[in-house]
Amino acid sequence: MITQEVNPIILGIESSCDETSAAILKGFDVISHIVYSQMIHKKYGGVVPELASRAHEHAISQVVHSTFESAKLAPGDIDAIAVTYGPGLMGALLVGLNYAKGFALAQNIPFIAVNHVEAHLYAPMLEFTKLAPPFLCLLVSGGHTMLVDVKGVRDFKILGTTRDDAAGESFDKTARLLKIGYPGGPVIDTLSDSGDPGAVKFPRSLLEPDSLDFSFSGMKTAVLNYVKKHNEPNDQDKANIAASFQEAVVDVLKEKVRRAIVATGHRQVVLAGGVAANRRLRFELKKMADHMGVDLFYPPLEYCTDNAAMIAATGVMYYRKGWFADLEIGAVPNLKL
Ligand code: KG4
Ligand code: ZN
């Protein structure tokens, strides 16, 4: 007889980059979720690792405390703790990881070590509770750009990945070049509303005709050359460049997803990672998905960017399988999927 899935109460902790986050889930129900985004990096135009570690150290106790307060629960109510152990910045990871180890020891509960990238793949399942593998996932974040054939929990095949920059990285670098702020993704997304996406024809690198890999470095160079040639772009020029750049990235991502749908035959497509917050990308992929008769799922904004709810959700799945980690496990900055 198939038994009902257990619905453990899991505390999730995330501190791999510049978000200090904690969440408490009961099964896939998010009881409370807090994300503290570090603002200190804005003035440097990118995440400064040492400052990130310090800010996590400063914030983590308060973030966890507030999460319990808003859930109206106590540490003794938690069945297991799940935490990101990689990939990410070493010092940043260590803050969350060691906090979670201490919590697990103190409460004598199972400890679950989560791969941050894997957690991004499952994030849409927080919103769409009926969504389950198999599905095709386009994971686009600041550190990763990949197409993944998700067959089950910890059962995937990477179909394509970036050969140079990640999609989010190219947004961030372009924004830095245009001096319009950080992080680049949301800024370009907003600025593009007042720009003409057809103003500049940036190259769309699609690689070999059947390739599912990505390359964004050529596009970045093209933006650099364009900006150099057109000295001191005014506000309207910047909006046009932003919109044209965004259009080029979206065109490439769209074509790669189309190829992957054709190659795999998947009928469910999931969009995940920080760049999944991009409105133009969502709009264009939805149009294409409808046209191809496939279902497209994308998480709400709060689950697109780094968050602990997706870490706790992965924890729920691991808990059900009994996949617990040893407290000796260390942080792995370059952890692979
Ligand atoms: O998933 P995430 O929060 O962190 C990583 O694991 O990398 O992704 C952050 C990335 C940044 O590069 C940011 O610029 C990008 O996601 N991003 C966006 C948008 N919101 C965030 N890119 C394009 N459009 C957006 N609206
Ligand atoms: Zn991430």
Side-chain angles (χ1 to χ4, degrees):
M1 196 181 87
I2 299 173
T3 52
Q4 187 81 31
E5 296 274 27
V6 287
N7 286 317
I9 299 182
I10 306 273
L11 170 65
I13 306 253
E14 156 64 31
S15 72
S16 64
C17 193
D18 57 344
E19 261 91 28
T20 318
S21 179
I24 297 175
L25 266 62
K26 180 168 173 50
F28 271 70
D29 286 341
V30 180
I31 301 176
S32 66
H33 181 209
I34 290 183
V35 181
Y36 165 70
S37 294
Q38 304 174 359
M39 290 303 163
I40 186 148
H41 309 289
K42 260 190 194 319
K43 63 178 169 198
Y44 302 99
V47 179
V48 182
E50 177 64 19
L51 296 180
S53 320
R54 288 172 186 237
H56 283 305
E57 183 59 29
H58 192 68
I60 191 147
S61 295
Q62 186 57 49
V63 167
V64 174
H65 185 79
S66 304
T67 306
F68 272 105
E69 227 173 42
S70 111
K72 296 191 172 55
L73 290 173
D77 298 320
I78 300 296
D79 294 315
I81 184 158
V83 62
T84 303
Y85 77 108
L89 302 167
M90 178 53 114
L93 287 166
L94 283 175
V95 176
L97 187 61
N98 287 328
Y99 188 97
K101 285 181 182 179
F103 191 97
L105 267 177
Q107 298 301 322
N108 194 23
I109 52 172
F111 175 75
I112 301 167
V114 174
N115 181 321
H116 175 95
V117 181
E118 181 181 359
H120 270 303
L121 299 179
Y122 306 139
M125 294 164 69
L126 283 165
E127 171 80 2
F128 305 100
T129 44
K130 297 238 158 48
L131 173 66
F135 54 74
L136 173 73
C137 181
L138 172 69
L139 172 59
V140 269
S141 73
H144 296 89
T145 300
M146 49 175 80
L147 274 160
V148 188
D149 185 348
V150 183
K151 300 168 200 286
V153 184
R154 211 158 73 190
D155 180 10
F156 6 79
K157 184 169 171 222
I158 298 174
L159 303 170
T161 184
T162 182
R163 295 186 185 170
D164 39 62
D165 294 345
E169 193 182 354
S170 72
F171 271 94
D172 295 336
K173 286 179 175 170
T174 298
R176 203 175 312 153
L177 210 69
L178 294 174
K179 300 192 182 79
I180 52 176
Y182 172 86
V187 181
I188 290 180
D189 192 338
T190 307
L191 186 60
S192 296
D193 288 345
S194 47
D196 171 8
V200 191
K201 193 81 185 152
F202 290 123
R204 277 91 165 137
S205 170
L206 296 172
L207 304 170
E208 304 78 29
D210 59 346
S211 173
L212 297 178
D213 280 344
F214 304 85
S215 169
F216 292 107
S217 65
M219 207 182 293
K220 178 188 65 191
T221 311
V223 178
L224 176 68
N225 291 340
Y226 187 87
V227 172
K228 264 193 198 154
K229 225 166 40 196
H230 299 78
N231 252 343
E232 299 298 323
N234 62 27
D235 286 351
Q236 187 56 52
D237 295 334
K238 286 185 181 184
N240 288 343
I241 295 169
S244 301
F245 162 80
Q246 176 175 272
E247 197 68 4
V249 175
V250 169
D251 276 355
V252 169
L253 294 175
K254 200 169 84 174
E255 170 59 12
K256 295 293 170 161
V257 171
R258 190 197 64 76
R259 288 181 188 180
I261 292 171
V262 172
T264 60
H266 273 300
R267 309 317 292 162
Q268 300 192 110
V269 178
V270 164
L271 189 53
V275 183
N278 187 269
R279 290 169 301 149
R280 184 80 188 152
L281 179 64
R282 289 176 170 219
F283 177 78
E284 284 297 323
L285 281 186
K286 178 81 179 88
K287 214 166 64 181
M288 184 180 76
D290 287 348
H291 185 69
M292 295 177 82
V294 304
D295 292 323
L296 177 74
F297 301 88
Y298 42 70
L301 297 190
E302 62 177 320
Y303 302 144
C304 283
T305 48
D306 289 348
N307 68 87
M310 68 182 190
I311 305 300
T314 310
V316 171
M317 289 186 278
Y318 276 40
Y319 186 95
R320 287 172 179 165
K321 296 205 176 270
W323 291 345
F324 303 125
D326 207 280
L327 284 178
E328 259 83 73
I329 196 167
V332 185
N334 60 353
L335 184 67
K336 299 282 176 279
L337 192 60

